[in-house]
Amino acid sequence: MSNRYVIGVDLGGSRVRAVLANEKGEFLDRCEFPTLADKGLYFVLERILECVRSVSSNAPRIDAIGVGAPGPINSKEGVVSNPPNLPGWVNVPLAKLIEEKTGIPTFLGNDANLAALGEFTYGSGKYVQHLIYITVSTGVGGGIIIDGQLLEGHNGAAGEVGHMVVQPGGPKCSCGGYGHLEALSSGTAIAKRAREAASLNKDTIMIELAGSVDKINAKIVDEAAKKGDPLALKLLEQAGQWLGYALINLIHIFNPQMISIGGGVSEAGELLLGPARKVVFEGLMPVFKQDLQIVKASLGGDVGLAGAVALALQESAKSKV
Ligand SMILES: [Zn+2]
């Protein structure tokens, strides 16, 4: 079982990244290419294989490959269903395709679920057994780990926390539903509300920071809030409160020890987490508050790669038992 080597791949809409890792999960080599998803499935597949070949050249052998890809995913079948940022990908058996070309056992996971696994194995959740990880960026995704096990569900699609209803009849979500957490607290939603508010109330530094109302994005809101802009602070507070309502539901159902919040919007730190924590601790039954921590995730941009490595190590350990 000693000296295992695995490859972790993070397939995103804009870039493909891969790392070679040892069994401690330490990254030994890495590779990155633009995805160029509009060139089609086989072009992207070749990019992934090129990355895999590049990082594996320094290892005596590779025991497994873990791949994180945008959901929806059927992780049990290793199939990418039809992600919005990989146009033309419909029910692609990605794990099988990579395995056939490399001869290495390959395992697929939803990128947000794998980010949860990465944060659990190597990041803020390293010392807990029950973790809910939520990434707040362009969208909102997550993963639920209870008793040290990632919750996968019937199709391996569990943990879509961004699509919980937190405001019935609220704004339309990217999935077609209404009032979902993603439609209220994602970077996209925060930016949209910021532009609407700034067009009515010109008394905000966001317009100056962005250059014009229509250029305001979530990063500008964060920057303005950190400079004390009241409107930007209010927008992050609201996003944090909606996140808090979603967390009350999740915590009452799953009884986690830790909630770890990652993704670009989490860079706002306490400006987002503070209001979320306040809503949560006011809304929970006492037993659920015991030892509960709500923290910012610690792995940053490599969290998906860390999760893909953790998946590959887990699966290769199973096959050697
Ligand atoms: Zn939704």
Side-chain angles (χ1 to χ4, degrees):
M1 190 83 97
S2 61
N3 298 326
R4 283 180 301 147
Y5 294 92
V6 298
I7 290 175
V9 178
D10 186 15
L11 169 61
S14 58
R15 54 189 183 156
V16 174
R17 296 189 298 158
V19 290
L20 170 69
N22 61 19
E23 64 187 323
K24 290 182 191 155
E26 292 163 341
F27 294 179
L28 306 173
D29 196 5
R30 60 198 301 155
C31 161
E32 178 174 334
F33 283 120
T35 308
L36 305 179
D38 53 346
K39 296 206 172 180
L41 165 64
Y42 285 94
F43 181 87
V44 176
L45 181 63
E46 197 41 54
R47 295 245 130 173
I48 296 171
L49 293 170
E50 223 171 297
C51 246
V52 166
R53 278 193 289 270
S54 152
V55 296
S56 56
S57 59
N58 291 322
R61 63 164 201 290
I62 304 293
D63 295 275
I65 300 174
V67 183
I73 292 266
N74 184 329
S75 61
K76 293 184 177 165
E77 307 280 335
V79 171
V80 177
S81 301
N82 190 12
N85 52 1
L86 293 174
W89 287 52
V90 182
N91 296 327
V92 175
L94 186 61
K96 192 164 154 256
L97 289 171
I98 295 174
E99 195 166 314
E100 275 172 7
K101 294 278 185 187
T102 60
I104 301 166
T106 301
F107 306 91
L108 182 70
N110 166 315
D111 52 8
N113 275 352
L114 289 194
L117 192 61
E119 200 63 33
F120 172 74
T121 314
Y122 305 113
S124 57
K126 209 159 46 168
Y127 302 110
V128 303
Q129 276 297 296
H130 314 280
L131 170 81
I132 296 179
Y133 170 82
I134 298 186
T135 171
V136 186
S137 58
T138 315
V140 175
I144 296 161
I145 292 170
I146 295 297
D147 293 320
Q149 292 294 317
L150 180 68
L151 194 74
E152 291 191 277
H154 174 55
N155 295 317
E160 288 287 358
V161 296
H163 303 282
M164 297 177 66
V165 176
V166 287
Q167 190 191 69
K172 192 168 184 183
C173 184
S174 65
C175 71
Y178 290 88
H180 293 181
L181 178 61
E182 177 165 307
L184 293 158
S185 295
S186 65
T188 312
I190 293 170
K192 184 166 179 273
R193 273 202 319 283
R195 289 191 295 269
E196 285 165 6
S199 66
L200 299 172
N201 170 14
K202 306 282 181 203
D203 187 21
T204 165
I205 61 167
M206 291 191 288
I207 301 172
E208 192 190 321
L209 288 173
S212 65
V213 169
D214 57 351
K215 288 198 179 117
I216 294 173
N217 57 27
K219 251 198 158 106
I220 295 284
V221 178
D222 181 29
E223 200 183 329
K226 283 175 179 155
K227 290 182 156 87
D229 184 75
L231 180 56
L233 283 165
K234 185 78 202 158
L235 289 163
L236 285 178
E237 184 188 11
Q238 284 174 335
Q241 286 167 341
W242 278 311
L243 179 61
Y245 294 124
L247 289 178
I248 290 175
N249 295 333
L250 289 167
I251 295 164
H252 278 140
I253 297 167
F254 294 106
N255 188 200
Q257 283 162 286
M258 180 182 278
I259 304 285
S260 179
I261 310 288
V265 177
S266 72
E267 292 306 317
E270 284 306 302
L271 299 179
L272 180 81
L273 265 56
R277 204 180 281 119
K278 185 163 184 289
V279 164
V280 167
F281 280 90
E282 283 171 4
L284 284 181
M285 287 192 267
V287 66
F288 292 92
K289 297 181 196 176
Q290 264 174 30
D291 307 322
L292 176 69
Q293 301 174 63
I294 300 177
V295 302
K296 185 167 173 284
S298 65
L299 292 183
D302 278 346
V303 67
L305 285 166
V309 163
L311 174 70
L313 284 169
Q314 252 181 25
E315 294 295 335
S316 72
K318 271 186 211 163
S319 65
K320 291 199 172 161
V321 171

